[in-house]
Amino acid sequence: MSKVVLGGGLGGLSAAYYLAKTAPKPAITLLESSARTGGWVKSTPQQNGIVFEQGPRTLRISGDAGLNTLQLVEDLNLGNKILPIVSSHPAAKNRLIYAHGRLNSLPNTGIQFITKSTLFSKPMGAYLFNDLFAKKKDVHDEPIYDFVERRFGKEIAENLISPMICGICAGNAHEISVKFLMRKMFELEQGYGSLIVGAFKYFSAQRKVKKPKKVFGPLAVKAKQQKWSIYSFTGGCETLPLALSENLLKNNVNIKLNTSCKSVTFDGKQATLTLSDNKTISTDHVISAVPSAVLGALVQNQHPDLGNLLTNLAKNVSVGVVNLHFKDNILKDQAFGVLVAPKENLPILGIIFDSCCFSGKSSGTALTVMMGGYWFEQHFGKNPTEQKLLEIAISQVKHILNVQSEPETSKVNILHQCLPQYIVGHDDTLQKINDYIDTHNLPISLCGASYYGVGINDVIMSARNAVNKIA
Ligand SMILES: Cc1cc2nc3c(=O)[nH]c(=O)nc-3n(C[C@H](O)[C@H](O)[C@H](O)COP(=O)(O)OP(=O)(O)OC[C@H]3O[C@@H](n4cnc5c(N)ncnc54)[C@H](O)[C@@H]3O)c2cc1C
């Protein structure tokens, strides 16, 4: 019995980890095309204790997927490396939005909901009441922008949801499916005609349903008691994939670095993978944790319909990530960071206030500027230099935060095709892909950021579910 995991990002590493825990333990090979595991998760600690993150920088606690990751963290003995941010911390509470040519605080207390802010022309709470009078539209799926505009009005769609979508997946709210972020709300509208009415009825009914009691591990209990909101690790987010890789090596998982898969073919209950050195590996099951478009190309020859579905599922966008460190404290507001409303047409998606989250030993300011995404080519052309992105990032920081200081250190990474876009129809295409795999009895499972959510927690959960399905 042998299993092959394709891709050594967090999805592939987690899949191999959960596979190694199944009984009887199969022989596991993990194929990774680059020289390291971890995929987009890459942390570069600086001398002052600040960590420059190229990709993810915080994990969420909330939801089943958040608890699942905490359990994994506990199993890997990483509990003592967690750097939590509690819910009362400014980085957990405060969000800024750049709109109307200025910085605005997002309302985050009851009183701010009923008083006017600089972001909206009415108190934010007033927009909620739009929902009671808004007409329901019978649709199977739609852009998240359209849904929010219909239910809460244009200002919420433009100044809140659009920048949020930039922050989560660097995407365009006019194209991203409502189900990506607001599935439950969409279902309430479709079921009850109004979110407020629907939520009331739904939660009243839920109260009567007896649910099995959730069992929390010690780390989850601690997180709950201490009100953790988000967290990272000593050494940065890469601590997690590094610990996973170490665990896999101890469990005799054969990690093949610098080994790219060139094609996957199926023959009855077997799959054969052709590698970059033209050698082949046969296995009774493949777990794919590479982007869907990459897998699409690998199966295209033998299964063109499946290849097309995978290629069209989630196109990825590129992001420029510029880490900056300033000697002095240049921040006037303590917050997680600032998101830019796309209608401002600025060449950046947002700025994360890293030193407000985790300050290390530094008294200065660490920031990360996220750039491009859906609008990458429009702003920077096909192949911008790192120097060009650095100059734009610094000038935008000066402009948005109203500072004059120059950074003392910086790091630029251009992450090509790094974030999948769950556009309208994502669910249907994914269903067709799963149906194709089932009806053709193909020995392959899918996990990773292209399918069931783009965050770290989603990716780890998708790996666990993929393994559970075959185990
Ligand atoms: C800029 C940025 C910021 C982010 N911030 C956050 C955050 O703060 N919090 C959060 O929860 N999430 C965040 N994310 C999302 C998170 O990083 C991803 O969900 C996660 O890293 C994806 O893991 P993956 O394994 O699915 O994919 P990947 O990391 O893309 O891994 C896929 C792996 O497959 C390998 N591969 C590709 N083709 C082949 C082939 N043919 N053969 C063999 N190997 C191959 C690649 O080299 C890669 O290592 C962020 C992402 C980005 C890009």
Side-chain angles (χ1 to χ4, degrees), residues 74-99:
E74 186 159 10
D75 295 346
L76 292 168
N77 286 323
L78 289 180
N80 59 353
K81 295 207 169 163
I82 282 195
L83 298 175
I85 295 182
V86 295
S87 54
S88 56
H89 191 281
K93 276 195 322 186
N94 302 342
R95 299 274 187 286
L96 302 169
I97 306 270
Y98 188 83

PDB file of all heavy atoms in Angstrom, residues 74-99:
ATOM      1  N   GLU A  74      -0.782  21.565  18.776  1.00  0.00           N
ATOM      2  CA  GLU A  74      -0.554  20.888  20.064  1.00  0.00           C
ATOM      3  C   GLU A  74       0.146  19.543  19.838  1.00  0.00           C
ATOM      4  O   GLU A  74       1.111  19.213  20.526  1.00  0.00           O
ATOM      5  CB  GLU A  74      -1.910  20.679  20.735  1.00  0.00           C
ATOM      6  CG  GLU A  74      -1.791  20.134  22.120  1.00  0.00           C
ATOM      7  CD  GLU A  74      -3.060  20.410  22.931  1.00  0.00           C
ATOM      8  OE1 GLU A  74      -4.079  20.844  22.380  1.00  0.00           O
ATOM      9  OE2 GLU A  74      -2.994  20.178  24.136  1.00  0.00           O
ATOM     10  N   ASP A  75      -0.345  18.786  18.850  1.00  0.00           N
ATOM     11  CA  ASP A  75       0.250  17.475  18.571  1.00  0.00           C
ATOM     12  C   ASP A  75       1.714  17.602  18.151  1.00  0.00           C
ATOM     13  O   ASP A  75       2.512  16.694  18.353  1.00  0.00           O
ATOM     14  CB  ASP A  75      -0.533  16.751  17.466  1.00  0.00           C
ATOM     15  CG  ASP A  75      -1.954  16.418  17.907  1.00  0.00           C
ATOM     16  OD1 ASP A  75      -2.225  16.504  19.128  1.00  0.00           O
ATOM     17  OD2 ASP A  75      -2.793  16.106  17.040  1.00  0.00           O
ATOM     18  N   LEU A  76       2.049  18.732  17.529  1.00  0.00           N
ATOM     19  CA  LEU A  76       3.436  18.930  17.084  1.00  0.00           C
ATOM     20  C   LEU A  76       4.296  19.564  18.185  1.00  0.00           C
ATOM     21  O   LEU A  76       5.450  19.938  17.933  1.00  0.00           O
ATOM     22  CB  LEU A  76       3.461  19.845  15.848  1.00  0.00           C
ATOM     23  CG  LEU A  76       2.864  19.273  14.562  1.00  0.00           C
ATOM     24  CD1 LEU A  76       2.690  20.374  13.514  1.00  0.00           C
ATOM     25  CD2 LEU A  76       3.736  18.151  14.006  1.00  0.00           C
ATOM     26  N   ASN A  77       3.724  19.696  19.375  1.00  0.00           N
ATOM     27  CA  ASN A  77       4.438  20.305  20.526  1.00  0.00           C
ATOM     28  C   ASN A  77       4.874  21.737  20.261  1.00  0.00           C
ATOM     29  O   ASN A  77       5.965  22.152  20.671  1.00  0.00           O
ATOM     30  CB  ASN A  77       5.670  19.478  20.909  1.00  0.00           C
ATOM     31  CG  ASN A  77       5.263  18.207  21.606  1.00  0.00           C
ATOM     32  OD1 ASN A  77       4.303  18.214  22.375  1.00  0.00           O
ATOM     33  ND2 ASN A  77       5.953  17.124  21.308  1.00  0.00           N
ATOM     34  N   LEU A  78       4.029  22.479  19.547  1.00  0.00           N
ATOM     35  CA  LEU A  78       4.391  23.867  19.249  1.00  0.00           C
ATOM     36  C   LEU A  78       3.682  24.865  20.164  1.00  0.00           C
ATOM     37  O   LEU A  78       3.812  26.075  19.975  1.00  0.00           O
ATOM     38  CB  LEU A  78       4.021  24.200  17.792  1.00  0.00           C
ATOM     39  CG  LEU A  78       4.858  23.553  16.706  1.00  0.00           C
ATOM     40  CD1 LEU A  78       4.350  23.989  15.336  1.00  0.00           C
ATOM     41  CD2 LEU A  78       6.323  23.906  16.855  1.00  0.00           C
ATOM     42  N   GLY A  79       2.926  24.334  21.148  1.00  0.00           N
ATOM     43  CA  GLY A  79       2.139  25.200  22.032  1.00  0.00           C
ATOM     44  C   GLY A  79       2.987  26.299  22.663  1.00  0.00           C
ATOM     45  O   GLY A  79       2.555  27.458  22.752  1.00  0.00           O
ATOM     46  N   ASN A  80       4.218  25.961  23.058  1.00  0.00           N
ATOM     47  CA  ASN A  80       5.056  26.970  23.742  1.00  0.00           C
ATOM     48  C   ASN A  80       5.676  27.976  22.772  1.00  0.00           C
ATOM     49  O   ASN A  80       6.346  28.905  23.177  1.00  0.00           O
ATOM     50  CB  ASN A  80       6.148  26.280  24.582  1.00  0.00           C
ATOM     51  CG  ASN A  80       7.037  25.403  23.721  1.00  0.00           C
ATOM     52  OD1 ASN A  80       6.751  25.225  22.528  1.00  0.00           O
ATOM     53  ND2 ASN A  80       8.103  24.863  24.288  1.00  0.00           N
ATOM     54  N   LYS A  81       5.450  27.762  21.472  1.00  0.00           N
ATOM     55  CA  LYS A  81       5.978  28.731  20.493  1.00  0.00           C
ATOM     56  C   LYS A  81       4.902  29.688  19.987  1.00  0.00           C
ATOM     57  O   LYS A  81       5.155  30.545  19.137  1.00  0.00           O
ATOM     58  CB  LYS A  81       6.584  27.986  19.305  1.00  0.00           C
ATOM     59  CG  LYS A  81       7.790  27.161  19.689  1.00  0.00           C
ATOM     60  CD  LYS A  81       8.726  26.976  18.541  1.00  0.00           C
ATOM     61  CE  LYS A  81      10.034  26.392  19.030  1.00  0.00           C
ATOM     62  NZ  LYS A  81      10.825  25.828  17.984  1.00  0.00           N
ATOM     63  N   ILE A  82       3.685  29.508  20.490  1.00  0.00           N
ATOM     64  CA  ILE A  82       2.582  30.365  20.012  1.00  0.00           C
ATOM     65  C   ILE A  82       2.737  31.785  20.536  1.00  0.00           C
ATOM     66  O   ILE A  82       3.056  32.000  21.702  1.00  0.00           O
ATOM     67  CB  ILE A  82       1.223  29.778  20.456  1.00  0.00           C
ATOM     68  CG1 ILE A  82       0.866  28.615  19.542  1.00  0.00           C
ATOM     69  CG2 ILE A  82       0.131  30.832  20.438  1.00  0.00           C
ATOM     70  CD1 ILE A  82      -0.566  28.177  19.629  1.00  0.00           C
ATOM     71  N   LEU A  83       2.524  32.736  19.642  1.00  0.00           N
ATOM     72  CA  LEU A  83       2.474  34.158  20.040  1.00  0.00           C
ATOM     73  C   LEU A  83       1.035  34.619  19.826  1.00  0.00           C
ATOM     74  O   LEU A  83       0.632  34.922  18.709  1.00  0.00           O
ATOM     75  CB  LEU A  83       3.404  34.999  19.158  1.00  0.00           C
ATOM     76  CG  LEU A  83       4.893  34.678  19.209  1.00  0.00           C
ATOM     77  CD1 LEU A  83       5.642  35.524  18.183  1.00  0.00           C
ATOM     78  CD2 LEU A  83       5.437  34.952  20.607  1.00  0.00           C
ATOM     79  N   PRO A  84       0.227  34.609  20.888  1.00  0.00           N
ATOM     80  CA  PRO A  84      -1.184  34.950  20.700  1.00  0.00           C
ATOM     81  C   PRO A  84      -1.443  36.449  20.727  1.00  0.00           C
ATOM     82  O   PRO A  84      -0.690  37.200  21.342  1.00  0.00           O
ATOM     83  CB  PRO A  84      -1.864  34.281  21.904  1.00  0.00           C
ATOM     84  CG  PRO A  84      -0.817  34.230  22.963  1.00  0.00           C
ATOM     85  CD  PRO A  84       0.535  34.245  22.295  1.00  0.00           C
ATOM     86  N   ILE A  85      -2.492  36.857  20.048  1.00  0.00           N
ATOM     87  CA  ILE A  85      -2.993  38.231  20.169  1.00  0.00           C
ATOM     88  C   ILE A  85      -4.403  38.106  20.730  1.00  0.00           C
ATOM     89  O   ILE A  85      -5.265  37.460  20.116  1.00  0.00           O
ATOM     90  CB  ILE A  85      -3.012  38.935  18.800  1.00  0.00           C
ATOM     91  CG1 ILE A  85      -1.585  39.089  18.294  1.00  0.00           C
ATOM     92  CG2 ILE A  85      -3.692  40.287  18.897  1.00  0.00           C
ATOM     93  CD1 ILE A  85      -1.465  39.814  16.986  1.00  0.00           C
ATOM     94  N   VAL A  86      -4.622  38.684  21.908  1.00  0.00           N
ATOM     95  CA  VAL A  86      -5.931  38.513  22.558  1.00  0.00           C
ATOM     96  C   VAL A  86      -6.941  39.492  21.949  1.00  0.00           C
ATOM     97  O   VAL A  86      -6.560  40.491  21.328  1.00  0.00           O
ATOM     98  CB  VAL A  86      -5.837  38.714  24.091  1.00  0.00           C
ATOM     99  CG1 VAL A  86      -4.968  37.639  24.722  1.00  0.00           C
ATOM    100  CG2 VAL A  86      -5.322  40.095  24.430  1.00  0.00           C
ATOM    101  N   SER A  87      -8.231  39.172  22.162  1.00  0.00           N
ATOM    102  CA  SER A  87      -9.274  39.925  21.440  1.00  0.00           C
ATOM    103  C   SER A  87      -9.343  41.405  21.831  1.00  0.00           C
ATOM    104  O   SER A  87      -9.866  42.214  21.077  1.00  0.00           O
ATOM    105  CB  SER A  87     -10.634  39.258  21.625  1.00  0.00           C
ATOM    106  OG  SER A  87     -10.877  39.108  23.000  1.00  0.00           O
ATOM    107  N   SER A  88      -8.771  41.763  23.018  1.00  0.00           N
ATOM    108  CA  SER A  88      -8.820  43.182  23.406  1.00  0.00           C
ATOM    109  C   SER A  88      -7.622  43.978  22.851  1.00  0.00           C
ATOM    110  O   SER A  88      -7.562  45.193  22.979  1.00  0.00           O
ATOM    111  CB  SER A  88      -8.822  43.293  24.938  1.00  0.00           C
ATOM    112  OG  SER A  88      -7.681  42.614  25.448  1.00  0.00           O
ATOM    113  N   HIS A  89      -6.678  43.280  22.220  1.00  0.00           N
ATOM    114  CA  HIS A  89      -5.469  43.949  21.685  1.00  0.00           C
ATOM    115  C   HIS A  89      -5.852  44.810  20.474  1.00  0.00           C
ATOM    116  O   HIS A  89      -6.716  44.415  19.679  1.00  0.00           O
ATOM    117  CB  HIS A  89      -4.464  42.859  21.278  1.00  0.00           C
ATOM    118  CG  HIS A  89      -3.104  43.376  20.955  1.00  0.00           C
ATOM    119  ND1 HIS A  89      -2.809  43.957  19.748  1.00  0.00           N
ATOM    120  CD2 HIS A  89      -1.959  43.394  21.669  1.00  0.00           C
ATOM    121  CE1 HIS A  89      -1.535  44.311  19.733  1.00  0.00           C
ATOM    122  NE2 HIS A  89      -0.995  43.981  20.895  1.00  0.00           N
ATOM    123  N   PRO A  90      -5.215  45.989  20.321  1.00  0.00           N
ATOM    124  CA  PRO A  90      -5.547  46.850  19.168  1.00  0.00           C
ATOM    125  C   PRO A  90      -5.433  46.124  17.821  1.00  0.00           C
ATOM    126  O   PRO A  90      -6.230  46.385  16.906  1.00  0.00           O
ATOM    127  CB  PRO A  90      -4.512  47.973  19.250  1.00  0.00           C
ATOM    128  CG  PRO A  90      -4.034  47.974  20.658  1.00  0.00           C
ATOM    129  CD  PRO A  90      -4.219  46.595  21.214  1.00  0.00           C
ATOM    130  N   ALA A  91      -4.489  45.189  17.708  1.00  0.00           N
ATOM    131  CA  ALA A  91      -4.328  44.485  16.424  1.00  0.00           C
ATOM    132  C   ALA A  91      -5.491  43.538  16.147  1.00  0.00           C
ATOM    133  O   ALA A  91      -5.726  43.159  15.008  1.00  0.00           O
ATOM    134  CB  ALA A  91      -3.017  43.713  16.411  1.00  0.00           C
ATOM    135  N   ALA A  92      -6.195  43.134  17.212  1.00  0.00           N
ATOM    136  CA  ALA A  92      -7.361  42.261  17.009  1.00  0.00           C
ATOM    137  C   ALA A  92      -8.621  43.093  16.807  1.00  0.00           C
ATOM    138  O   ALA A  92      -9.560  42.660  16.141  1.00  0.00           O
ATOM    139  CB  ALA A  92      -7.530  41.326  18.211  1.00  0.00           C
ATOM    140  N   LYS A  93      -8.642  44.285  17.393  1.00  0.00           N
ATOM    141  CA  LYS A  93      -9.881  45.089  17.397  1.00  0.00           C
ATOM    142  C   LYS A  93      -9.945  46.098  16.254  1.00  0.00           C
ATOM    143  O   LYS A  93     -10.980  46.336  15.675  1.00  0.00           O
ATOM    144  CB  LYS A  93      -9.943  45.904  18.707  1.00  0.00           C
ATOM    145  CG  LYS A  93     -10.503  45.151  19.886  1.00  0.00           C
ATOM    146  CD  LYS A  93     -10.879  46.088  21.030  1.00  0.00           C
ATOM    147  CE  LYS A  93      -9.925  47.241  21.209  1.00  0.00           C
ATOM    148  NZ  LYS A  93     -10.127  48.083  22.342  1.00  0.00           N
ATOM    149  N   ASN A  94      -8.806  46.740  15.995  1.00  0.00           N
ATOM    150  CA  ASN A  94      -8.848  47.934  15.141  1.00  0.00           C
ATOM    151  C   ASN A  94      -8.438  47.641  13.699  1.00  0.00           C
ATOM    152  O   ASN A  94      -7.387  47.055  13.446  1.00  0.00           O
ATOM    153  CB  ASN A  94      -7.918  49.021  15.703  1.00  0.00           C
ATOM    154  CG  ASN A  94      -8.293  49.390  17.126  1.00  0.00           C
ATOM    155  OD1 ASN A  94      -9.402  49.108  17.560  1.00  0.00           O
ATOM    156  ND2 ASN A  94      -7.366  49.995  17.850  1.00  0.00           N
ATOM    157  N   ARG A  95      -9.301  48.070  12.787  1.00  0.00           N
ATOM    158  CA  ARG A  95      -9.007  47.955  11.353  1.00  0.00           C
ATOM    159  C   ARG A  95      -9.193  49.337  10.748  1.00  0.00           C
ATOM    160  O   ARG A  95     -10.155  50.040  11.078  1.00  0.00           O
ATOM    161  CB  ARG A  95      -9.991  47.011  10.649  1.00  0.00           C
ATOM    162  CG  ARG A  95      -9.991  45.579  11.152  1.00  0.00           C
ATOM    163  CD  ARG A  95      -8.916  44.781  10.425  1.00  0.00           C
ATOM    164  NE  ARG A  95      -8.918  43.361  10.715  1.00  0.00           N
ATOM    165  CZ  ARG A  95      -8.495  42.810  11.843  1.00  0.00           C
ATOM    166  NH1 ARG A  95      -8.084  43.556  12.831  1.00  0.00           N
ATOM    167  NH2 ARG A  95      -8.490  41.508  11.999  1.00  0.00           N
ATOM    168  N   LEU A  96      -8.293  49.705   9.851  1.00  0.00           N
ATOM    169  CA  LEU A  96      -8.429  50.987   9.156  1.00  0.00           C
ATOM    170  C   LEU A  96      -8.755  50.728   7.692  1.00  0.00           C
ATOM    171  O   LEU A  96      -8.289  49.732   7.116  1.00  0.00           O
ATOM    172  CB  LEU A  96      -7.119  51.780   9.257  1.00  0.00           C
ATOM    173  CG  LEU A  96      -6.618  52.088  10.683  1.00  0.00           C
ATOM    174  CD1 LEU A  96      -5.198  52.631  10.636  1.00  0.00           C
ATOM    175  CD2 LEU A  96      -7.540  53.092  11.350  1.00  0.00           C
ATOM    176  N   ILE A  97      -9.538  51.618   7.121  1.00  0.00           N
ATOM    177  CA  ILE A  97      -9.859  51.513   5.689  1.00  0.00           C
ATOM    178  C   ILE A  97      -9.451  52.836   5.048  1.00  0.00           C
ATOM    179  O   ILE A  97      -9.823  53.912   5.545  1.00  0.00           O
ATOM    180  CB  ILE A  97     -11.373  51.301   5.453  1.00  0.00           C
ATOM    181  CG1 ILE A  97     -11.910  50.107   6.254  1.00  0.00           C
ATOM    182  CG2 ILE A  97     -11.675  51.197   3.959  1.00  0.00           C
ATOM    183  CD1 ILE A  97     -11.875  48.776   5.598  1.00  0.00           C
ATOM    184  N   TYR A  98      -8.710  52.749   3.953  1.00  0.00           N
ATOM    185  CA  TYR A  98      -8.378  53.964   3.206  1.00  0.00           C
ATOM    186  C   TYR A  98      -9.458  54.141   2.129  1.00  0.00           C
ATOM    187  O   TYR A  98      -9.568  53.343   1.190  1.00  0.00           O
ATOM    188  CB  TYR A  98      -6.984  53.858   2.579  1.00  0.00           C
ATOM    189  CG  TYR A  98      -6.551  55.164   1.963  1.00  0.00           C
ATOM    190  CD1 TYR A  98      -5.981  56.159   2.748  1.00  0.00           C
ATOM    191  CD2 TYR A  98      -6.735  55.406   0.606  1.00  0.00           C
ATOM    192  CE1 TYR A  98      -5.611  57.379   2.192  1.00  0.00           C
ATOM    193  CE2 TYR A  98      -6.358  56.617   0.044  1.00  0.00           C
ATOM    194  CZ  TYR A  98      -5.800  57.594   0.844  1.00  0.00           C
ATOM    195  OH  TYR A  98      -5.427  58.794   0.304  1.00  0.00           O
ATOM    196  N   ALA A  99     -10.274  55.161   2.322  1.00  0.00           N
ATOM    197  CA  ALA A  99     -11.350  55.474   1.361  1.00  0.00           C
ATOM    198  C   ALA A  99     -11.615  56.970   1.435  1.00  0.00           C
ATOM    199  O   ALA A  99     -11.261  57.608   2.433  1.00  0.00           O
ATOM    200  CB  ALA A  99     -12.622  54.702   1.716  1.00  0.00           C
TER     201      ALA A  99
END
